[in-house]
Coordinates of all heavy atoms in Angstrom, one line a residue:
M1 N 129.0 52.4 -119.6 CA 127.6 52.6 -119.3 C 127.3 52.2 -117.9 O 127.8 51.1 -117.4 CB 126.7 51.7 -120.2 CG 125.3 51.8 -120.0 SD 124.3 50.6 -121.0 CE 123.7 51.7 -122.1
S2 N 126.7 53.1 -117.1 CA 126.5 52.8 -115.8 C 125.0 52.5 -115.5 O 124.2 53.2 -116.1 CB 126.9 53.9 -114.9 OG 126.1 55.1 -115.2
A3 N 124.9 51.5 -114.8 CA 123.4 51.2 -114.4 C 123.0 51.9 -113.2 O 123.7 51.7 -112.1 CB 123.2 49.6 -114.3
C4 N 121.9 52.6 -113.2 CA 121.4 53.2 -112.0 C 120.0 52.8 -111.7 O 119.1 53.0 -112.5 CB 121.5 54.8 -112.1 SG 120.9 55.6 -110.7
T5 N 119.9 52.0 -110.7 CA 118.6 51.5 -110.3 C 118.0 52.3 -109.2 O 118.6 52.4 -108.1 CB 118.6 50.0 -109.8 OG1 119.4 49.2 -110.9 CG2 117.3 49.5 -109.6
L6 N 116.8 52.8 -109.5 CA 116.2 53.6 -108.5 C 115.0 52.8 -107.9 O 114.2 52.3 -108.6 CB 115.5 54.9 -109.1 CG 115.1 56.0 -108.2 CD1 116.3 56.6 -107.4 CD2 114.3 57.1 -108.9
V7 N 115.3 52.6 -106.6 CA 114.2 51.6 -106.0 C 113.1 52.6 -105.2 O 113.5 53.4 -104.4 CB 114.9 50.8 -104.9 CG1 113.8 49.8 -104.1 CG2 116.0 50.0 -105.5
A8 N 111.9 52.5 -105.7 CA 110.9 53.3 -105.1 C 110.6 52.7 -103.7 O 110.6 51.5 -103.5 CB 109.6 53.2 -105.9
P9 N 110.4 53.6 -102.9 CA 110.0 53.2 -101.4 C 108.6 52.6 -101.5 O 107.8 52.9 -102.4 CB 110.0 54.5 -100.6 CG 109.7 55.6 -101.7 CD 110.4 55.1 -102.9
P10 N 108.4 51.6 -100.6 CA 107.1 50.9 -100.5 C 106.0 52.0 -100.2 O 106.3 53.0 -99.5 CB 107.2 50.0 -99.3 CG 108.3 50.6 -98.4 CD 109.2 51.2 -99.5
A11 N 104.9 51.8 -100.8 CA 103.7 52.8 -100.7 C 103.4 52.7 -99.2 O 103.2 51.6 -98.6 CB 102.5 52.4 -101.6
P12 N 103.1 53.8 -98.6 CA 102.6 53.8 -97.2 C 101.2 53.2 -97.1 O 100.4 53.3 -98.1 CB 102.7 55.3 -96.9 CG 102.6 56.1 -98.1 CD 103.2 55.2 -99.2
P13 N 101.0 52.5 -96.0 CA 99.6 52.0 -95.7 C 98.6 53.2 -95.8 O 98.9 54.3 -95.5 CB 99.7 51.3 -94.5 CG 100.9 51.9 -93.8 CD 101.9 52.4 -94.9
D14 N 97.4 52.8 -96.0 CA 96.3 53.8 -95.9 C 96.3 54.5 -94.6 O 96.4 53.8 -93.5 CB 95.0 53.2 -96.1 CG 94.8 52.6 -97.6 OD1 95.5 53.2 -98.4 OD2 94.1 51.7 -97.7
P15 N 96.2 55.7 -94.5 CA 96.2 56.4 -93.3 C 94.9 56.1 -92.6 O 93.9 55.9 -93.2 CB 96.3 57.9 -93.6 CG 95.8 58.0 -95.1 CD 96.2 56.7 -95.6
V16 N 95.0 56.3 -91.2 CA 93.7 56.0 -90.4 C 92.8 57.2 -90.8 O 93.1 58.3 -90.5 CB 94.0 56.0 -88.9 CG1 92.9 55.8 -88.2 CG2 95.1 54.8 -88.7
D17 N 91.7 56.7 -91.3 CA 90.8 57.8 -91.7 C 89.5 57.9 -90.9 O 88.4 58.0 -91.4 CB 90.6 57.7 -93.2 CG 89.8 59.0 -93.8 OD1 89.9 60.0 -93.2 OD2 89.1 58.8 -94.8
E18 N 89.6 57.5 -89.7 CA 88.4 57.4 -88.9 C 88.6 58.4 -87.7 O 89.6 58.6 -87.3 CB 88.3 55.9 -88.3 CG 88.2 54.9 -89.3 CD 88.3 53.5 -88.7 OE1 88.4 53.4 -87.4 OE2 88.1 52.5 -89.3
E19 N 87.4 58.9 -87.3 CA 87.5 59.7 -86.2 C 87.5 58.9 -84.9 O 86.7 58.0 -84.8 CB 86.3 60.7 -86.1 CG 86.3 61.7 -87.1 CD 85.3 62.7 -87.1 OE1 84.8 62.9 -85.9 OE2 84.8 63.4 -88.0
G20 N 88.4 59.1 -84.1 CA 88.5 58.3 -82.9 C 89.5 59.0 -81.9 O 90.3 59.9 -82.3
T21 N 89.4 58.5 -80.8 CA 90.3 59.1 -79.8 C 91.6 58.4 -79.9 O 91.8 57.4 -80.6 CB 89.7 58.7 -78.3 OG1 89.8 57.2 -78.2 CG2 88.3 59.1 -78.2
L22 N 92.6 59.0 -79.2 CA 93.9 58.5 -79.3 C 94.0 57.1 -78.7 O 94.7 56.2 -79.2 CB 94.9 59.5 -78.4 CG 96.3 59.1 -78.5 CD1 96.9 59.0 -79.9 CD2 97.2 60.1 -77.8
D23 N 93.2 56.9 -77.6 CA 93.1 55.5 -77.1 C 92.7 54.6 -78.1 O 93.2 53.4 -78.1 CB 92.1 55.5 -75.9 CG 92.8 56.2 -74.7 OD1 94.0 56.4 -74.7 OD2 92.1 56.4 -73.7
E24 N 91.7 54.9 -78.9 CA 91.2 54.0 -79.9 C 92.2 53.7 -80.9 O 92.5 52.6 -81.5 CB 89.9 54.4 -80.5 CG 88.7 54.4 -79.6 CD 87.5 55.2 -80.1 OE1 87.7 56.0 -81.0 OE2 86.5 54.8 -79.6
L25 N 93.0 54.7 -81.3 CA 94.0 54.6 -82.3 C 95.1 53.6 -81.8 O 95.6 52.8 -82.5 CB 94.6 55.9 -82.6 CG 93.8 56.8 -83.5 CD1 94.4 58.2 -83.7 CD2 93.5 56.3 -84.9
V26 N 95.5 53.8 -80.4 CA 96.5 53.1 -79.9 C 96.1 51.6 -79.8 O 96.9 50.7 -80.1 CB 97.0 53.6 -78.6 CG1 97.9 52.6 -77.9 CG2 97.7 55.0 -78.7
A27 N 94.9 51.5 -79.4 CA 94.3 50.1 -79.4 C 94.3 49.4 -80.6 O 94.6 48.2 -80.7 CB 92.8 50.2 -78.7
A28 N 94.0 50.2 -81.7 CA 94.0 49.6 -83.0 C 95.5 49.2 -83.4 O 95.7 48.2 -84.0 CB 93.4 50.6 -84.1
L29 N 96.4 50.0 -83.0 CA 97.8 49.7 -83.3 C 98.2 48.4 -82.6 O 98.8 47.5 -83.2 CB 98.7 50.8 -82.8 CG 98.9 52.0 -83.7 CD1 99.9 53.0 -83.1 CD2 99.5 51.5 -85.0
W30 N 97.8 48.3 -81.4 CA 98.1 47.1 -80.6 C 97.6 45.8 -81.2 O 98.1 44.8 -81.3 CB 97.7 47.2 -79.2 CG 98.8 47.9 -78.4 CD1 98.8 49.1 -77.8 CD2 100.1 47.4 -78.0 NE1 99.9 49.5 -77.2 CE2 100.7 48.4 -77.3 CE3 100.7 46.2 -78.3 CZ2 102.0 48.2 -76.8 CZ3 102.1 46.1 -77.8 CH2 102.7 47.0 -77.1
T31 N 96.3 46.0 -81.7 CA 95.6 44.8 -82.3 C 96.4 44.3 -83.5 O 96.5 43.2 -83.7 CB 94.2 45.3 -82.7 OG1 93.5 45.7 -81.5 CG2 93.5 44.1 -83.4
G32 N 96.9 45.3 -84.4 CA 97.7 45.0 -85.4 C 99.0 44.3 -85.0 O 99.4 43.3 -85.6
L33 N 99.7 44.9 -84.1 CA 101.0 44.4 -83.6 C 100.9 43.0 -83.1 O 101.6 42.2 -83.4 CB 101.5 45.4 -82.7 CG 102.1 46.7 -83.2 CD1 102.5 47.6 -82.0 CD2 103.2 46.6 -84.1
R34 N 99.9 42.9 -82.3 CA 99.7 41.5 -81.7 C 99.2 40.5 -82.7 O 99.4 39.3 -82.5 CB 98.7 41.6 -80.5 CG 99.3 42.4 -79.4 CD 98.7 42.0 -78.1 NE 99.5 42.7 -76.9 CZ 99.0 43.5 -76.1 NH1 97.7 43.9 -76.2 NH2 99.7 44.0 -75.1
G35 N 98.6 40.9 -83.7 CA 98.3 40.1 -84.9 C 99.3 39.9 -85.8 O 99.1 39.2 -86.8
D36 N 100.5 40.4 -85.5 CA 101.8 40.2 -86.2 C 101.5 40.9 -87.6 O 102.0 40.4 -88.7 CB 102.1 38.8 -86.4 CG 103.6 38.6 -86.8 OD1 104.4 39.5 -86.5 OD2 103.9 37.6 -87.3
R37 N 100.9 41.9 -87.7 CA 100.6 42.7 -88.9 C 101.2 44.1 -88.9 O 101.4 44.6 -87.9 CB 99.0 42.9 -89.2 CG 98.3 41.6 -89.6 CD 96.8 41.8 -89.8 NE 96.2 42.1 -88.4 CZ 95.3 43.0 -88.2 NH1 94.9 43.7 -89.2 NH2 94.6 43.1 -87.1
P38 N 101.6 44.6 -90.0 CA 102.2 45.9 -89.9 C 101.1 46.9 -89.7 O 100.0 46.7 -90.1 CB 102.7 46.1 -91.4 CG 101.9 45.0 -92.3 CD 101.6 43.9 -91.3
V39 N 101.4 48.0 -88.9 CA 100.5 48.9 -88.6 C 101.1 50.3 -88.9 O 102.4 50.5 -89.2 CB 100.2 49.0 -87.1 CG1 99.5 47.7 -86.7 CG2 101.5 49.2 -86.3
A40 N 100.2 51.4 -89.2 CA 100.7 52.6 -89.5 C 101.1 53.4 -88.3 O 100.5 53.4 -87.2 CB 99.6 53.3 -90.2
C41 N 102.3 54.1 -88.4 CA 102.8 55.0 -87.4 C 101.8 56.1 -87.1 O 101.3 56.8 -88.1 CB 104.1 55.6 -87.8 SG 104.8 56.7 -86.8
L42 N 101.6 56.4 -85.8 CA 100.7 57.5 -85.5 C 101.3 58.8 -85.8 O 100.5 59.7 -86.1 CB 100.5 57.4 -83.9 CG 99.4 56.4 -83.4 CD1 99.4 56.5 -81.9 CD2 98.1 56.6 -84.0
I43 N 102.6 58.8 -85.9 CA 103.3 60.1 -86.1 C 103.3 60.5 -87.6 O 102.9 61.6 -88.1 CB 104.6 60.1 -85.5 CG1 104.6 59.6 -84.1 CG2 105.3 61.5 -85.7 CD1 103.8 60.5 -83.1
C44 N 103.9 59.6 -88.4 CA 104.1 59.9 -89.8 C 103.3 59.0 -90.8 O 103.4 59.3 -91.9 CB 105.7 59.8 -90.0 SG 106.3 58.1 -90.0
G45 N 102.7 58.0 -90.2 CA 101.9 57.2 -91.1 C 102.7 56.1 -91.8 O 102.1 55.3 -92.6
A46 N 104.0 56.0 -91.7 CA 104.8 54.9 -92.2 C 104.5 53.6 -91.5 O 103.9 53.5 -90.4 CB 106.2 55.3 -92.2
E47 N 105.1 52.6 -92.0 CA 104.9 51.3 -91.4 C 105.7 51.0 -90.2 O 106.9 51.4 -90.2 CB 105.2 50.3 -92.5 CG 104.7 48.8 -92.1 CD 104.9 47.8 -93.2 OE1 104.3 47.9 -94.3 OE2 105.9 47.0 -93.1
M48 N 105.1 50.6 -89.1 CA 105.7 50.4 -87.8 C 106.0 48.8 -87.8 O 105.1 48.0 -88.2 CB 105.0 50.7 -86.7 CG 104.9 52.2 -86.5 SD 103.9 52.7 -84.9 CE 105.4 52.8 -83.9
S49 N 107.3 48.4 -87.4 CA 107.5 47.0 -87.3 C 107.2 46.5 -85.8 O 107.7 47.3 -84.9 CB 109.0 46.9 -87.6 OG 109.3 47.4 -88.8
P50 N 106.7 45.4 -85.7 CA 106.6 44.9 -84.3 C 107.9 44.6 -83.6 O 108.9 44.2 -84.3 CB 105.7 43.6 -84.5 CG 105.3 43.6 -85.8 CD 106.1 44.5 -86.7
E51 N 108.0 44.8 -82.4 CA 109.1 44.5 -81.5 C 108.8 43.4 -80.7 O 107.7 43.3 -80.0 CB 109.7 45.7 -80.8 CG 110.2 46.7 -81.7 CD 110.9 47.9 -80.9 OE1 110.6 48.0 -79.7 OE2 111.6 48.7 -81.6
Y52 N 109.8 42.4 -80.6 CA 109.4 41.3 -79.7 C 110.3 41.1 -78.5 O 111.5 41.6 -78.6 CB 109.6 39.9 -80.6 CG 108.7 39.9 -81.8 CD1 109.0 40.4 -83.0 CD2 107.3 39.6 -81.6 CE1 108.2 40.3 -84.1 CE2 106.4 39.5 -82.7 CZ 107.0 39.9 -83.9 OH 106.0 39.9 -85.0
G53 N 109.7 40.7 -77.5 CA 110.4 40.5 -76.3 C 110.8 38.9 -76.3 O 111.2 38.3 -77.4
V54 N 110.9 38.4 -75.0 CA 111.4 37.0 -74.9 C 110.3 36.1 -75.3 O 110.5 35.0 -75.7 CB 111.8 36.7 -73.5 CG1 113.1 37.4 -73.1 CG2 110.7 37.1 -72.5
H55 N 109.0 36.6 -75.4 CA 108.0 35.7 -75.9 C 107.6 36.0 -77.4 O 108.1 37.0 -77.9 CB 106.7 36.0 -75.0 CG 107.0 35.7 -73.5 ND1 107.3 34.4 -73.1 CD2 107.1 36.5 -72.5 CE1 107.5 34.5 -71.7 NE2 107.4 35.8 -71.4
A56 N 106.8 35.2 -77.9 CA 106.4 35.4 -79.4 C 105.6 36.6 -79.6 O 105.5 37.1 -80.7 CB 105.8 34.2 -79.8
R57 N 104.9 37.1 -78.5 CA 104.0 38.1 -78.6 C 104.7 39.5 -78.8 O 105.8 39.7 -78.0 CB 103.0 38.2 -77.5 CG 102.2 39.4 -77.4 CD 101.1 39.3 -76.4 NE 100.1 38.4 -76.8 CZ 98.8 38.2 -76.2 NH1 98.6 38.9 -75.1 NH2 98.0 37.5 -76.6
A58 N 104.2 40.4 -79.6 CA 104.8 41.7 -79.9 C 104.7 42.5 -78.6 O 103.6 42.5 -77.9 CB 104.2 42.4 -81.0
I59 N 105.8 43.1 -78.2 CA 105.7 43.9 -76.9 C 105.7 45.4 -77.3 O 105.6 46.3 -76.5 CB 106.9 43.6 -76.0 CG1 108.2 44.0 -76.8 CG2 106.9 42.3 -75.5 CD1 109.5 44.0 -75.9
G60 N 105.7 45.7 -78.5 CA 105.7 47.1 -79.0 C 105.9 47.3 -80.5 O 106.0 46.2 -81.2
G61 N 106.0 48.5 -80.9 CA 106.4 48.6 -82.4 C 107.3 49.8 -82.5 O 107.5 50.6 -81.6
H62 N 108.0 49.8 -83.6 CA 109.1 50.8 -83.9 C 108.8 51.3 -85.3 O 108.8 50.6 -86.2 CB 110.5 50.3 -83.7 CG 111.4 51.2 -83.9 ND1 112.2 51.3 -85.0 CD2 111.9 52.3 -83.1 CE1 113.1 52.3 -84.9 NE2 112.9 52.9 -83.8
C63 N 108.9 52.7 -85.5 CA 108.8 53.2 -86.8 C 110.2 53.5 -87.3 O 111.0 54.4 -86.5 CB 108.0 54.5 -86.7 SG 107.9 55.4 -88.3
S64 N 110.7 53.0 -88.3 CA 112.0 53.3 -88.8 C 112.1 54.5 -89.6 O 113.2 55.0 -89.9 CB 112.5 52.1 -89.7 OG 111.7 51.9 -90.8
T65 N 111.0 55.2 -89.8 CA 110.9 56.4 -90.6 C 111.1 57.7 -89.7 O 112.0 58.4 -89.9 CB 109.7 56.5 -91.3 OG1 109.5 55.4 -92.2 CG2 109.6 57.9 -92.2
C66 N 110.4 57.7 -88.6 CA 110.6 58.9 -87.7 C 111.1 58.4 -86.4 O 111.4 59.4 -85.5 CB 109.1 59.5 -87.6 SG 108.0 58.7 -86.6
G67 N 111.3 57.2 -86.1 CA 111.8 56.8 -85.0 C 110.9 56.6 -83.8 O 111.3 56.3 -82.6
A68 N 109.7 56.8 -83.9 CA 108.7 56.7 -82.9 C 108.6 55.2 -82.4 O 108.7 54.3 -83.3 CB 107.3 57.2 -83.4
S69 N 108.3 55.0 -81.2 CA 108.1 53.7 -80.7 C 106.9 53.6 -79.9 O 106.6 54.6 -79.2 CB 109.4 53.1 -80.0 OG 109.7 54.0 -78.9
L70 N 106.3 52.4 -79.8 CA 105.2 52.2 -79.0 C 105.4 51.0 -78.1 O 105.8 49.9 -78.6 CB 103.9 51.9 -80.0 CG 102.7 51.5 -79.3 CD1 102.0 52.8 -78.7 CD2 101.7 50.8 -80.3
H71 N 105.2 51.2 -76.8 CA 105.5 50.1 -75.9 C 104.3 50.1 -74.8 O 103.7 51.1 -74.6 CB 106.8 50.3 -75.2 CG 108.0 50.1 -76.0 ND1 108.4 48.8 -76.4 CD2 108.8 50.9 -76.8 CE1 109.4 48.9 -77.2 NE2 109.7 50.0 -77.5
Ligands
ZN101 ZN1 106.8 57.2 -87.8

């Protein structure tokens, strides 16, 4: 008997459903990243992980789903 465990991917965060300019979307992303919170990728809507530099503050974000990065 073989055990096959199917791990469901995490549910994507709610898509940004507000009308706004790209600048506002990016600003919202940065607010989330600097607050050390997961944010939704602008490209695919998946979760972007904060990237850190030498300081504790996030310097950008990276989407592991589509490879987009924000710096
Ligand atoms: Zn993405």
Side-chain angles (χ1 to χ4, degrees):
M1 177 184 260
S2 64
C4 181
T5 305
L6 193 65
V7 179
D14 291 335
V16 177
D17 194 23
E18 300 173 355
E19 288 188 28
T21 65
L22 184 60
D23 281 350
E24 288 170 339
L25 287 174
V26 171
L29 274 180
W30 275 110
T31 300
L33 288 173
R34 292 206 170 118
D36 206 17
R37 285 180 288 141
V39 295
C41 173
L42 282 178
I43 310 299
C44 70
E47 191 174 292
M48 291 184 93
S49 310
E51 289 182 345
Y52 298 96
V54 292
H55 301 293
R57 170 171 286 190
I59 59 169
H62 179 259
C63 175
S64 58
T65 301
C66 73
S69 58
L70 176 73
H71 288 280

